[in-house]
Amino acid sequence: MAKQFSVTGLISVLCFAVVMTACGGTARVEERSREAVIVTRPSCVVVETFNGNIEVVTGADDKVAVEVTRYVGAGQGDALKTIQFSISQDAETVTVRAQWPADAPTNLNLVGTDLKVSIPAGSPVQAVVGNGNITYRGTAGEGDYGFKVGNGDIVYNAALGQGEYDLGVGNGSIELQLPAEAQFNFDGRVGNGRITSEFPLGNTSAEAHVVKGSIGSDPQAIITAVTGNGRIEVKRSN
């Protein structure tokens, strides 16, 4: 049964800083802010951005907090106000979303939003990004987790809770860093690339594009990892 939670307040800290930086050799203008929702026992956090990186970490038990970095290319600072950001809630879910409106200009050479999201321990997460990376370094709990990337990488570095973990990438890699004592069922598939594992998952040869296996005597986590072009790595964390 999903846990219920109540929202008791919204915190918005508008500490904007417009800076010039270098990202892969391309200058960009940034605008930063912080927002948070005070909650009790959240059951699910949904995070979405069109372009940019999503990082999820464990933080305070009573809030979902977000560091928001909007960015556009140099000389396009006026476009920052076009990026839409929202944090909302209903009875069971907190939703964090950055959007580029459908009717906004499409000829900009660089535009996106990075989101660093701090969540209560044990909160299941669903995260989606069009172009960018997803990194999860939280404290997983019971429930289902989903991470989807169009172009970019997924890194999951945490223990596993009871539930399903659905990881999918169009072009890019998936890296799982799991405790040595982790127990899980695994179904990995790559189109162009390979699957490697430091756990005994069976056939992980250079030619292996499909790897299935089970680790432990009582696995409660089910991992499905799929990438079209890239690699899947299952590692033992230090």
Side-chain angles (χ1 to χ4, degrees), residues 24-63:
T26 302
R28 71 186 197 182
V29 181
E30 295 181 354
E31 183 178 76
R32 300 172 183 170
S33 62
R34 295 173 181 262
E35 301 201 33
V37 173
I38 305 300
V39 298
T40 301
R41 298 190 307 276
S43 61
C44 184
V45 179
V46 176
V47 186
E48 299 177 0
T49 187
F50 55 107
N51 292 322
N53 298 319
I54 295 174
E55 180 181 359
V56 180
V57 298
T58 296
D61 289 338
D62 65 344
K63 71 176 67 173

Side-chain angles (χ1 to χ4, degrees), residues 47-236:
V47 186
E48 299 177 0
T49 187
F50 55 107
N51 292 322
N53 298 319
I54 295 174
E55 180 181 359
V56 180
V57 298
T58 296
D61 289 338
D62 65 344
K63 71 176 67 173
V64 174
V66 189
E67 295 180 11
V68 184
T69 302
R70 300 174 176 88
Y71 62 84
V72 295
Q76 301 171 163
D78 289 345
L80 284 171
K81 62 181 180 292
T82 306
I83 300 172
Q84 298 175 349
F85 173 81
S86 64
I87 179 168
S88 61
Q89 52 76 32
D90 60 23
E92 297 183 353
T93 305
V94 172
T95 301
V96 176
R97 180 175 291 126
Q99 295 177 295
W100 185 251
D103 58 353
T106 59
N107 60 343
L108 303 183
N109 60 16
L110 181 67
V111 61
T113 306
D114 294 333
L115 302 173
K116 182 175 182 179
V117 186
S118 174
I119 64 175
S123 302
V125 176
Q126 302 286 325
V128 179
V129 60
N131 298 286
N133 304 317
I134 296 175
T135 303
Y136 179 89
R137 294 189 176 92
T139 302
E142 181 178 343
D144 296 336
Y145 290 71
F147 304 108
K148 300 295 183 181
V149 174
N151 298 288
D153 301 328
I154 295 173
V155 175
Y156 180 94
N157 184 356
L160 299 167
Q162 180 179 346
E164 297 185 5
Y165 293 76
D166 186 8
L167 288 67
V169 174
N171 297 288
S173 298
I174 298 172
E175 180 178 310
L176 292 154
Q177 300 179 16
L178 307 175
E181 66 275 11
Q183 300 190 58
F184 56 94
N185 292 317
F186 181 82
D187 183 350
R189 301 167 185 270
V190 298
N192 298 295
R194 64 173 297 187
I195 302 171
T196 61
S197 175
E198 295 177 0
F199 292 85
L201 286 174
N203 180 19
T204 55
S205 66
E207 294 77 24
H209 295 284
V210 177
V211 173
K212 296 183 179 182
S214 182
I215 302 298
S217 60
D218 185 27
Q220 299 295 308
I222 301 171
I223 300 173
T224 302
V226 179
T227 181
N229 298 287
R231 67 185 186 281
I232 297 174
E233 297 178 294
V234 186
K235 299 180 177 180
R236 296 177 187 265

